[in-house]
Amino acid sequence: MKKDLLKFPFKRTFFSTVILCSLSVIFNSCNDDGEGRIKLNDKAPAKVTNVTTESGPGEVYLTWTNPTDESFMYTKIEYTNTKGVKKYKLISKEKANDSGIAQTTISGFGNTNAVSFSLFSCSVRGNNEGAVEVSASPQTPAFVDVAKTITLTPDLGGIYVNWKNIYNTPVYIVLNYYAASDSKKAGTFKFQINGNSESKQFVQLSYGKDDFLSGEECIVNVTTEDTDENASEPIEFKITPIAVVKISKANWSFPGYNDSSNAGTIGYSSLETIGEGGGKSPAGRVIAMLDDNLETYWHASWKQASNYPHWFIVDMGKNVTISSIELIRRQGDARGQKGQIFYTCSDEDAVNKDNPDSWAWTNHGAFTFDPGIDVPQVYRINSNPVARYIKVYFGTEHKGTGAQAMVSEINVYGAE
């Protein structure tokens, strides 16, 4: 009989209403003062004590002792940042050590001006007895000191940005550049460097859709930033990237290419000839990476399930001097690979053309790939190898959120 009643919406609604009303009566009874309602201790706790400060690069370290009041729940710290914005930070009582001593770091200051901090010890609803006021001056921010270490050096098809960061704090380096002879040839590039690092980053000075500055003098203004976008004063450099060309793809191919099969060959791990673009070539095929059309792309097989590793080999038809390799993701799709390994092989070192496994490949190492951006991602091949073949390998360690690798275009820069 119960099952029959529950088949009808009106009756289900009736029974639900009865249940909710019953629960309401129970809860209201439990909350009644005469029935032992739980009372919230929301009394303003005593103030924090023993507040000390210590300065760091663009940051201040605060230490204090929490009150022992039963009603104390958290410490609220109020301050104004470099840009004049009032901010606050909440530190739970659970963050303190066994002696009730708590500490935190307030960062994001763009100069060494003194900063006032107000520490409130609060009950669960924020009741407090007022603030304990302290003041401290941050040390010179890390990004300011990093800016002083930056130098630029010309390279094939771009420049190297050299830096040294002696702090634990990560820093952003921002380049705004243009051709000295034509300010309309302009662009910007921003990248993050790790703390405690001394290294260099290759940057291709790109502008427009598919152009870059090569063999002509450029003006590069360099600034550094922290994560709050506090920035250093710009430093101007004049530099001329060494001239290279974009290698023509007119005679490029993939060994063993088969336009009508998903199966791998000696030149690639797999294709998707059925599920992409209605199955019409070049959709889903490796040749889509050679057509200079960002709307087409190679996709590893998914109608016939595949998984990492994925790979392909480009045959450029002749030896060229490679300065950099450029990859572009499938536009608007972030499920692809997170990195790759580049290998090269010269014509002379590929003795048996039917067996790439026997070739003398040079491993140029692993590089990260950001599957979340549509713009070209350029990789400097430092040794400037002379090669006919390029193998791009996507290992299991490079797997993105999807099971297949995807690439819209591959380009090579260097000298023929």
Side-chain angles (χ1 to χ4, degrees), residues 240-399:
T240 303
I242 301 172
V244 295
V245 297
K246 181 179 178 180
I247 305 300
S248 170
K249 296 191 280 187
N251 297 314
W252 290 15
S253 62
F254 296 89
Y257 177 68
N258 184 341
D259 195 76
S260 60
S261 172
N262 277 20
T265 71
I266 62 172
Y268 48 84
S269 54
S270 70
L271 308 174
E272 183 49 64
T273 63
I274 304 170
E276 300 295 338
K280 184 178 179 180
S281 184
R285 298 154 171 85
V286 286
I287 58 171
M289 294 185 284
L290 308 183
D291 64 2
D292 292 322
N293 180 358
L294 295 181
E295 299 306 312
T296 63
Y297 50 86
W298 164 67
H299 197 302
S301 174
W302 58 269
K303 276 286 188 179
Q304 298 169 346
S306 67
N307 210 330
Y308 286 79
H310 304 292
W311 56 271
F312 60 81
I313 296 173
V314 175
D315 178 1
M316 296 183 288
K318 63 180 179 180
N319 283 340
V320 302
T321 300
I322 300 171
S323 64
S324 60
I325 300 173
E326 178 180 84
L327 297 179
I328 306 175
R329 75 161 182 170
R330 172 185 177 180
Q331 301 291 278
D333 195 316
R335 296 173 298 168
Q337 64 281 354
K338 297 187 295 184
Q340 66 281 322
I341 300 173
F342 292 118
Y343 299 85
T344 61
C345 180
S346 69
D347 184 39
E348 296 76 17
D349 288 331
V351 177
N352 181 354
K353 303 300 185 191
D354 296 326
N355 184 15
D357 289 341
S358 69
W359 300 353
W361 292 101
T362 298
N363 185 341
H364 297 282
F367 299 80
T368 60
F369 184 87
D370 185 348
I373 58 176
D374 284 336
V375 297
Q377 300 183 53
V378 183
Y379 305 93
R380 178 71 172 96
I381 309 301
N382 292 324
S383 59
N384 299 323
V386 175
R388 172 177 172 176
Y389 302 95
I390 298 173
K391 181 175 183 178
V392 185
Y393 180 84
F394 309 99
T396 54
E397 68 274 23
H398 303 127
K399 184 179 184 297

Side-chain angles (χ1 to χ4, degrees), residues 176-180 182-183 185-187 213 217-221 236:
N176 289 285
Y177 52 86
Y178 58 92
D182 184 356
S183 61
K185 295 180 179 179
L213 297 168
E217 185 178 63
C218 302
I219 308 300
V220 182
N221 289 296
E236 182 179 288

Side-chain angles (χ1 to χ4, degrees), residues 6-34:
L6 295 178
K7 288 181 181 178
F8 299 98
F10 173 78
K11 293 179 179 179
R12 288 202 301 270
T13 302
F14 172 77
F15 283 114
S16 298
T17 303
V18 171
I19 293 171
L20 289 173
C21 289
S22 301
L23 290 174
S24 177
V25 171
I26 294 171
F27 287 137
N28 285 335
S29 298
C30 291
N31 285 334
D32 187 87
D33 286 336

